[in-house]
Amino acid sequence: MPHRPSTTPRPPHTTWKHALWVGVMIVSAQSARTQVFVNNLMPQPSSLTPGSGSLALTSTFAVQIAGSSAENDTRLRSAIERATRRIEMATGLPHAGTGVTPTTPLHLHVDRPGEEVQTIDEDETYTLKITPTGIDIAAKTDVGAIHALETLIQLVQPGPQGYILPAVSIDDAPRFRWRGLMIDCARHFEPIPVIKRTLDGMAAVKLNVFHWHLTEDQGFRMQSLVFPKLTALGSDGLFYTQAEAREIVAYARDRGIRVVPEFEMPGHSTAWLMAYPELASGTTPTSIRREFGVSDYAIDPTRDETYTFIDRFLGEMATIFPDAYVHIGGDESPAPDWKKNPRILAFMRQHDLKNNDALQAYFNTRVLKTIARLHKHMVGWDEVLTPGLPKDVVIQSWRGGDALTKGAKLGYEGVLSAPYYLDGMKPAGVHYLADPLPSTADLTPDQRKLVLGGEVCMWAEHLSARTIDSRIWPRTAAIAERFWSPESVQDVDDMYRRLEPISIELETLGLTHLESGDAGLRELAATEDIEALRTIAAALEPVSFGERYHAQRTNQLTALDRVVDSVRPDPPSRHFIELRVKRFLTSPTTDTQDRTYLDAWFTSLTTAIPIVERQMHTSPRLADASTRVAQIPALAAVAHQSLTFLASGQHAPTGWKTAQLQKLAEAKKPSALVRFNFLEALNQLVAAVPD
Ligand code: ACM
């Protein structure tokens, strides 16, 4: 396959690493008080050099644009408008208008507009220089300038006299060209406003591919005018009109984001086959599939009519989705009909296709002809990587990093997703340390170039419009940093420190990941008085997709209104309790501050119990969690006793440790689809007690 040239990221030439924590002394002109610049940026730029002094934000921005992408670049102008509004909102500056003179100089030099249809090779680099007298942004394209503006917003911070921008010089470029977020809008539908606010969040953390998973066994979400039955019979009335999809493509482009649509074939195709049973391999569905998991239905790869249909459908979709890539799914298609339908078996013999994999490779190759005719590239999940697959297919690796490496060795481009499945409900720190292309990877320099980047995956079995944001954010911000920043940016504690300000920034963009949990708790408890419930909820997190799926036997019609739906994965308390424990254990007999904090935190959990128990009496759905809540006093006692032993240096009585570890093991068992997020920290405390 002709390999598309990459934008070469510039090597980090300065000391971003030291700049994370090393404060810059900024002496205010008005007072002798000093101010420390704290680097809250996420993602970290490839190069950052702190300057001296700061720019006081006393008035809004006097904007000057130079270069060939000047006054008539509406995308650039609206990005500047949005960015300056956000800074005004964050700092209380009045917007320019009658009686307000903008005086803060903001100069942008943008060489050229970005590509009409953004490609994987779009130049996203930029430089941003802030001095006490003004701001200079330089970029090759407006996409680079859009990234620079997001960085600028994250640099605003309080100073002694008001808000400031610290003097700094940033020279930034992405590490990977493909930095994606996939959302499954098919198993559960997500309305347009949800997609828009997600795109705003993606732009804030410099993600550049929105992979829109539009079809599944549970629903066909994209309107086709050529094949209107797809949504008429396959969507429960929940789908995106073509006008809406075009609006999303334009909205994304405005933010430097490509939209890659996915239409699943030949498996995960019940919704197609509900509408057009003549496409089926044998058995046909009688309803949209409500169950999750892998289905047996499959599109028939042996009939010419199948390819005519797909050709007309993808041709129509190409008028809506201009991106050079189209995703055809390709995963999980056991297709038992291919093993027993005599007509299909005869076809396989005739074409010397030995098994289902070979038949699927044949199918992919024929679909690829349509995709090539549309001047596009095919993307598929890693099952498509079978012998004989043409090289111009991008492999999206979801079952492990191996498929990516294997694909690259065979000459296929790839995108890594396996470590970025958000429905595993893992902590941000775990995702953060998974690198799409570690320097230790066993690949040649040419093979390394085939790794395009990574994609976060948000599958929707257990997702609603209310819960989606809290499942995606803020963890995705940490993964976005993995895709953008140098490989050496690996300090998990510092990532968590920066995750809080970015989380708040994301909320100001309209994302609901923080407030939706509270809304859910209010609804569960049927009261506004949720302080106690929130205290306990902050010590809980959802179990993984798999655990919930098996415990609750969920399907598409399961109500997503339980305690588990109102608690967040990886709430901040988990990491901060672990940090406190780690610090306390370095000097347990003298560190009274952390000991007091930890004692108080566990006490706050027990204090909350009576109120929450009263609320459970009137809310059967809340009462789900009664077993969990009943476990808290014993666990808090374990914490208090451990802290006491450690602080005094005393040995625990014989058998104490074993008994406590047993309580922890008991508390680890599944209940109410939620788990305690402090057990690891508590385990460390108990283990450290001398016996
Ligand atoms: C997948 O998770 N089946 C791509």
Side-chain angles (χ1 to χ4, degrees):
M1 174 183 46
H3 177 67
R4 288 168 289 285
S6 66
T7 40
T8 312
R10 278 164 253 176
H13 62 76
T14 51
T15 53
W16 60 265
K17 203 164 189 176
H18 306 296
L20 289 176
W21 282 105
V22 177
V24 180
M25 305 307 280
I26 296 169
V27 182
S28 154
Q30 284 86 12
S31 83
R33 282 199 289 157
T34 55
Q35 165 73 21
V36 175
F37 158 42
V38 180
N39 178 347
N40 282 340
L41 297 175
M42 187 170 280
Q44 281 294 300
S46 50
S47 154
L48 180 153
T49 311
S52 63
S54 65
L55 175 65
L57 285 172
T58 54
S59 160
T60 195
F61 301 90
V63 179
Q64 280 183 359
I65 311 176
S68 70
S69 183
E71 302 296 316
N72 57 356
D73 184 339
T74 50
R75 172 161 65 160
L76 182 61
R77 296 203 75 79
S78 57
I80 295 168
E81 179 68 21
R82 286 196 306 275
T84 53
R85 285 273 177 161
R86 278 164 64 193
I87 295 177
E88 287 160 6
M89 292 273 287
T91 58
L93 288 178
H95 194 57
T98 325
V100 174
T101 311
T103 57
T104 305
L106 171 57
H107 297 151
L108 294 102
H109 192 289
V110 181
D111 292 353
R112 58 177 190 274
E115 297 152 314
E116 191 54 42
V117 176
Q118 188 171 318
T119 71
I120 190 166
D121 293 319
E122 177 69 90
D123 193 318
E124 301 181 273
T125 60
Y126 71 90
T127 61
L128 165 64
K129 193 166 172 59
I130 300 171
T131 68
T133 54
I135 304 157
D136 276 298
I137 287 173
K140 298 271 187 350
T141 72
D142 48 4
V143 176
I146 288 167
H147 293 321
L149 290 164
E150 295 290 350
T151 304
L152 184 70
I153 290 163
Q154 292 185 2
L155 283 166
V156 173
Q157 49 195 269
Q161 307 289 328
Y163 290 91
I164 58 136
L165 283 161
V168 71
S169 186
I170 288 174
D171 193 347
D172 205 3
R175 179 168 168 223
F176 292 107
R177 294 178 281 165
W178 190 301
R179 306 179 307 279
L181 168 62
M182 184 227 65
I183 302 183
D184 168 7
C185 293
R187 288 185 175 90
H188 282 104
F189 179 74
E190 294 296 344
I192 290 290
V194 174
I195 306 297
K196 286 189 173 171
R197 71 190 190 221
T198 305
L199 289 165
D200 288 334
M202 289 175 67
V205 295
K206 302 182 175 65
L207 290 173
N208 69 353
V209 179
F210 171 48
H211 167 174
W212 205 354
H213 185 84
L214 285 161
T215 72
E216 258 306 335
D217 294 314
Q218 290 76 18
F220 202 100
R221 306 295 176 205
M222 186 61 224
Q223 181 185 42
S224 165
L225 301 177
V226 179
F227 300 108
K229 284 197 286 183
L230 287 169
T231 51
L233 298 177
S235 79
D236 294 314
L238 296 169
F239 62 90
Y240 305 103
T241 65
Q242 297 199 350
E244 285 171 332
R246 287 196 173 93
E247 190 185 333
I248 289 300
V249 168
Y251 194 92
R253 181 182 185 276
D254 261 357
R255 286 152 183 77
I257 298 170
R258 298 166 38 221
V259 178
V260 174
E262 179 182 351
F263 307 103
E264 276 263 23
M265 58 184 89
H268 286 280
S269 57
T270 310
W272 299 81
L273 303 179
M274 258 310 287
Y276 295 94
E278 59 273 29
L279 292 176
S281 292
T283 32
T284 52
T286 51
S287 69
I288 293 172
R289 187 176 150 92
R290 305 302 174 188
E291 301 77 37
F292 299 134
V294 179
S295 127
D296 283 348
Y297 299 114
I299 290 173
D300 186 346
T302 67
R303 298 170 67 238
D304 285 340
E305 292 83 346
T306 296
Y307 300 102
T308 309
F309 186 104
I310 290 171
D311 187 80
R312 291 180 67 201
F313 175 77
L314 291 180
E316 182 189 16
M317 292 302 114
T319 67
I320 300 162
F321 299 102
D323 197 80
Y325 291 78
V326 61
H327 203 305
I328 56 115
D331 58 317
E332 299 180 316
S333 180
D337 280 338
W338 298 1
K339 294 194 178 116
K340 57 179 194 251
N341 180 331
R343 191 173 48 71
I344 293 180
L345 290 169
F347 180 92
M348 287 167 78
R349 275 193 302 276
Q350 190 189 344
H351 289 80
D352 199 22
L353 300 166
K354 299 265 181 293
N355 51 30
N356 277 20
D357 277 357
L359 183 54
Q360 193 169 342
Y362 170 89
F363 172 80
N364 291 335
T365 307
R366 286 201 59 177
V367 174
L368 193 57
K369 287 205 174 78
T370 285
I371 292 178
R373 180 181 72 71
L374 297 169
H375 306 290
K376 291 186 188 290
H377 306 283
M378 180 191 275
V379 190
W381 298 106
D382 61 34
E383 285 93 329
V384 302
L385 182 53
T386 48
L389 182 76
K391 288 289 190 290
D392 187 18
V393 177
V394 176
I395 310 298
Q396 181 164 11
S397 166
W398 71 278
R399 294 182 297 187
D402 287 355
L404 193 73
T405 317
K406 183 176 150 202
K409 283 183 194 287
L410 292 169
Y412 293 95
E413 288 184 323
V415 171
L416 184 67
S417 278
Y420 312 119
Y421 266 42
L422 296 175
D423 63 2
M425 303 293 178
K426 294 198 182 99
V430 171
H431 296 300
Y432 185 65
L433 292 178
D435 197 293
L437 186 60
S439 44
T440 51
D442 172 29
L443 292 173
T444 66
D446 278 347
Q447 290 165 348
R448 293 177 68 86
K449 285 187 198 142
L450 297 172
V451 177
L452 302 177
E455 245 188 43
V456 179
C457 285
M458 185 72 266
W459 295 104
E461 282 91 341
H462 301 152
L463 221 55
S464 71
R466 201 191 76 206
T467 60
I468 179 171
D469 294 356
S470 74
R471 273 54 186 151
I472 296 180
W473 307 106
R475 290 181 299 163
T476 292
I479 308 172
E481 175 158 290
R482 177 60 46 233
F483 298 162
W484 177 280
S485 306
E487 182 184 359
S488 53
V489 179
Q490 300 229 351
D491 182 335
V492 172
D493 289 345
D494 192 67
M495 178 276 286
Y496 275 108
R497 177 187 66 78
R498 290 177 289 118
L499 203 56
E500 181 166 346
I502 189 70
S503 182
I504 291 163
E505 182 196 342
L506 291 164
E507 191 170 46
T508 66
L509 283 167
L511 287 157
T512 63
H513 53 295
L514 302 179
E515 72 187 43
S516 62
D518 278 0
L521 296 179
R522 279 190 285 273
E523 197 259 332
L524 273 175
T527 170
E528 283 190 32
D529 180 15
I530 55 159
E531 278 307 308
L533 186 53
R534 187 203 268 138
T535 300
I536 289 179
L540 299 171
E541 57 190 355
V543 296
S544 71
F545 157 71
E547 286 168 89
R548 182 175 190 178
Y549 175 63
H550 290 295
Q552 209 184 0
R553 300 189 175 280
T554 50
N555 66 35
Q556 191 189 25
L557 306 178
T558 306
L560 300 170
D561 60 355
R562 298 286 149 157
V563 173
V564 62
D565 297 298
S566 293
V567 301
R568 301 156 57 185
D570 200 16
S573 55
R574 190 196 60 79
H575 181 70
F576 289 109
I577 292 298
E578 280 179 12
L579 260 188
R580 293 268 184 182
V581 165
K582 193 162 73 177
R583 206 164 54 189
F584 171 75
L585 289 178
T586 60
S587 48
T589 53
T590 52
D591 180 357
T592 50
Q593 205 185 358
D594 286 311
R595 182 191 164 192
T596 307
Y597 180 92
L598 289 165
D599 262 328
W601 191 78
F602 281 100
T603 299
S604 74
L605 295 183
T606 41
T607 309
I609 292 173
I611 301 172
V612 171
E613 281 182 336
R614 271 202 299 281
Q615 292 172 343
M616 283 176 170
H617 284 141
T618 54
S619 169
R621 280 186 291 136
L622 190 57
D624 269 1
S626 56
T627 315
R628 272 282 171 257
V629 171
Q631 287 171 316
I632 291 175
L635 296 170
V638 175
H640 296 312
Q641 286 170 28
S642 305
L643 290 164
T644 305
F645 284 130
L646 288 159
S648 63
Q650 279 175 18
H651 287 243
T654 316
W656 178 88
K657 214 170 192 169
T658 315
Q660 311 316 303
L661 291 174
Q662 197 150 1
K663 285 180 205 160
L664 298 195
E666 198 57 36
K668 269 192 193 141
K669 290 187 186 153
S671 176
L673 309 172
V674 289
R675 57 185 178 223
F676 291 115
N677 60 35
F678 54 78
L679 293 181
E680 187 53 44
L682 195 49
N683 202 76
Q684 283 172 23
L685 278 181
V686 175
V689 173
D691 51 13

